[in-house]
Amino acid sequence: MKLYMSIISGFLLLSMLASISFLISKKSNLDINKTSPFECGFSNFNSSRMSFSIHFFMVAIIFLMFDIEVAIMLPMFISLKFMKVYQWMMTSLTIVTLITYGLYHEWINGVIEWAK
């Protein structure tokens, strides 16, 4: 019974705080100068939304993928103490094979090539 009451009171408190923050955070559309970009006292001549290279975005995504894969590989050396050598080698080989296949797939699709 106490568990249900604490869950219900927590949910009520959470929903009350969420609705209060939603009401407080309403932005006013009355002053357009506050929402426009300001550059050294001059009005901007171009749009503030500059397009960027999709290739740069893809390289950033590849970097994040390999960064996560390295984070997955780091505990492998600690797990060597708790696993048999054969199991450890198969697990390591599977992870390295998946990483190599991902790199090969990106290379074949031309994502890694900087200039075309």
Side-chain angles (χ1 to χ4, degrees):
M1 186 68 180
K2 288 183 181 182
L3 179 65
Y4 293 127
M5 291 302 290
S6 62
I7 290 173
I8 290 172
S9 63
F11 181 73
L12 287 174
L13 181 66
L14 180 69
S15 60
M16 185 176 63
L17 287 175
S19 18
I20 289 173
S21 68
F22 180 74
L23 291 174
I24 290 175
S25 69
K26 288 283 187 180
K27 291 186 178 180
S28 173
N29 292 333
L30 301 175
D31 194 5
I32 198 136
N33 289 330
K34 287 184 180 179
T35 58
S36 67
F38 184 74
E39 299 174 0
C40 303
F42 297 102
S43 296
N44 58 344
F45 301 112
N46 298 341
S47 173
S48 62
R49 299 266 181 191
M50 299 292 290
S51 63
F52 64 96
S53 172
I54 191 70
H55 190 74
F56 176 76
F57 178 73
M58 291 302 294
V59 169
I61 294 297
I62 291 170
F63 172 76
L64 285 175
M65 286 177 9
F66 278 102
D67 194 33
I68 290 171
E69 290 166 352
V70 167
I72 290 172
M73 288 175 58
L74 282 176
M76 282 183 0
F77 300 108
I78 298 171
S79 68
L80 182 59
K81 296 177 189 176
F82 306 110
M83 296 174 75
K84 295 179 183 174
V85 177
Y86 177 74
Q87 291 174 336
W88 185 82
M89 287 296 289
M90 290 306 293
T91 305
S92 303
L93 186 63
T94 304
I95 291 173
V96 171
T97 303
L98 286 173
I99 292 171
T100 307
Y101 175 73
L103 180 63
Y104 175 73
H105 180 70
E106 291 158 358
W107 186 13
I108 292 301
N109 287 331
V111 176
I112 299 175
E113 296 177 14
W114 191 258
K116 291 183 180 182

